[in-house]
Amino acid sequence: MDFRLSEEHELFRRTARDFAQKELEPRAKEFEEQHAVPPEILRQLGELGYLGLMVPEEYGGVGADTLSYTIVMEELSRACASTSTVVSVQNSLVEFPIAEFGTPEQKRKYLPKLATGEWIGAFGLTEPESGSDAAGMKTTAVRDGDFYVLNGTKRFITNAAFAQVFVVFALTDPEAGNKGVSCFLVERGTPGFTVGEEEDKMGIRATSTCELFFEDCRVPSENLLGEENRGFKVAMLTLDAGRIGIAAQAVGIAQAALDEALKYAQERVAFGKPLAAFQAIQFKLAEMKTKVEAARLLTYQAAWKKDAGEDYILESSLAKLYAAEIASEVADAAVQIHGGYGYIRDYKVERLYRDARITRIYEGTSEIQKLIIARQLLGRG
Ligand code: CAA
């Protein structure tokens, strides 16, 4: 067993770190204040290939493996979790299902535009009354000739304000529960489809989160993604893969909190000594470091299993659960080390503390990860 990254993976890390330090770190606060990751940053992400990392080269992507994606997510998140959220939705929740379940025509039509960043995508599963119970959705899709007619509302949809294509789940057989869900590709501008107001969120405040409204929205039947009534599996398999990206995001946020705490503890003097000279602070830093390393190893393990073509449902939930939980713990400890300054907007740890919180909620709450892990352990997955 070799825990060192390959030269190619190291290059992904160096390039992503360089970009994140130069372009994101100095401006992350400004993005948050403007409630948007600016278009020039999205353009740069596209040029670097970060908006199509795992898309095969024949469709204009980088054709990189999941570990490369994980490393890029980690480095971007260290500087700006809002930016990495856009990258994660594009790669994990939009391109992955199209590449995995799309027809050749769908792949040719959508992947090249998405991989270059010409188009941004979004993922519409959650509804006002169904989050963890994903199959409890109410949105319906009724076949009418060469179209499906969609009616319903989606909620908390990341990238919604500027996405051009939406992966949307709806019931084609409402009596059949999760066996009656289908998945559709809905383009912005389709009559009957509108995007609502921005949510005012606690963290990742430079991301866009809106409702989607479907009112007799006619979607061409060729936009069905995967088979009719097999959409729940599309959602589950997409989220299994996506959770590796969120785990990487959590690792990046936690690493940033540790970096800030280490710096501050050596600079700040109290009782005549730097904070770092006190064992109470040293123990805190040691615990933070141990958690970050353990989360990173779990995350790389999940990515490695996916790249090896092995089953990774268990590993992706282990990584997402642990990384998300420790990101909050490590960010909390970093705020504590900063004392009053940690509570002030000018200090990065204040943003990290808020940004970390969402990783325990989206792409499956920590409680849902525990449920998936237990089912895997008990052979009921
Ligand atoms: N991977 C693959 N298949 C899975 C699966 C998984 N993790 N979990 C369930 N399935 C399969 C089952 O094997 C079963 O398949 P068969 O029909 O072939 O037997 C089918 O799905 C139904 O399974 P269940 O009966 O277990 O389904 P359930 O209704 O009890 O729900 C659940 C299972 C795990 C709780 C699921 O509802 C779930 O994952 N909920 C969380 C939803 C979620 O993560 N939402 C995030 C929203 S997206 C987001 O956050 C994006 C963003 O903003 C950035």
Side-chain angles (χ1 to χ4, degrees), residues 267-287:
E267 285 163 10
R268 168 78 179 192
V269 173
F271 304 103
K273 289 190 277 192
L275 291 184
F278 294 94
Q279 202 174 48
I281 301 294
Q282 290 172 4
F283 279 13
K284 244 192 218 315
L285 293 169
E287 282 165 15

Side-chain angles (χ1 to χ4, degrees), residues 92-353:
S92 294
L93 301 186
V94 180
E95 291 165 351
F96 175 87
I98 297 175
E100 203 69 14
F101 305 101
T103 60
E105 292 73 33
Q106 288 171 341
K107 290 185 202 181
R108 273 198 300 274
K109 181 168 181 196
Y110 295 105
L111 289 179
K113 285 197 170 81
L114 290 163
T116 53
E118 185 186 338
W119 278 20
I120 295 292
F123 182 81
L125 176 67
T126 299
E127 299 194 355
E129 290 171 63
S130 68
S132 290
D133 179 13
M137 69 181 71
K138 295 205 170 68
T139 298
T140 53
V142 177
R143 181 95 194 212
D144 180 18
D146 288 340
F147 290 85
Y148 284 89
V149 184
L150 269 62
N151 277 289
T153 304
K154 296 287 168 183
R155 188 154 218 183
F156 303 138
I157 307 307
T158 309
N159 291 351
F162 51 91
Q164 281 88 0
V165 61
F166 296 73
V167 175
V168 176
F169 297 86
L171 293 168
T172 30
D173 184 354
E175 306 304 313
N178 63 43
K179 304 249 178 325
V181 175
S182 298
C183 180
F184 300 91
L185 295 168
V186 184
E187 290 182 26
R188 186 176 214 94
T190 307
F193 169 39
T194 48
V195 175
E197 298 295 305
E198 288 286 356
E199 301 286 357
D200 189 10
K201 304 186 296 292
M202 173 196 287
I204 54 164
R205 286 179 64 79
T207 63
S208 157
T209 311
C210 309
E211 279 189 303
L212 311 180
F213 303 107
F214 300 95
E215 288 168 293
D216 292 329
C217 172
R218 293 172 72 79
V219 176
S221 55
E222 72 247 25
N223 283 24
L224 178 70
L225 183 63
E227 290 171 48
E228 191 177 88
N229 295 329
R230 299 281 298 156
F232 195 69
K233 271 285 195 194
V234 173
M236 292 299 106
L237 295 169
T238 298
L239 288 165
D240 289 334
R243 286 166 186 148
I244 302 174
I246 301 304
Q249 179 178 58
V251 171
I253 295 171
Q255 179 65 58
L258 173 59
D259 295 342
E260 292 301 304
L262 272 172
K263 218 167 31 188
Y264 189 79
Q266 291 172 86
E267 285 163 10
R268 168 78 179 192
V269 173
F271 304 103
K273 289 190 277 192
L275 291 184
F278 294 94
Q279 202 174 48
I281 301 294
Q282 290 172 4
F283 279 13
K284 244 192 218 315
L285 293 169
E287 282 165 15
M288 291 159 81
K289 172 72 175 166
T290 310
K291 288 173 182 173
V292 173
E293 288 299 324
R296 181 175 288 123
L297 287 174
L298 278 176
T299 305
Y300 288 5
Q301 170 182 250
W304 180 85
K305 283 206 97 176
K306 179 166 173 286
D307 288 334
E310 293 180 24
D311 190 273
Y312 59 91
I313 297 178
L314 172 66
E315 287 75 13
S316 103
S317 281
L318 290 174
K320 160 77 161 73
L321 171 64
Y322 188 71
E325 291 294 322
I326 68 99
S328 281
E329 292 166 15
V330 172
D332 183 72
V335 168
Q336 197 65 17
I337 288 172
H338 279 71
Y341 290 108
Y343 205 63
I344 303 293
R345 289 261 148 132
D346 278 346
Y347 282 75
K348 184 177 173 185
V349 288
E350 187 271 345
R351 170 165 53 86
L352 296 169
Y353 179 82

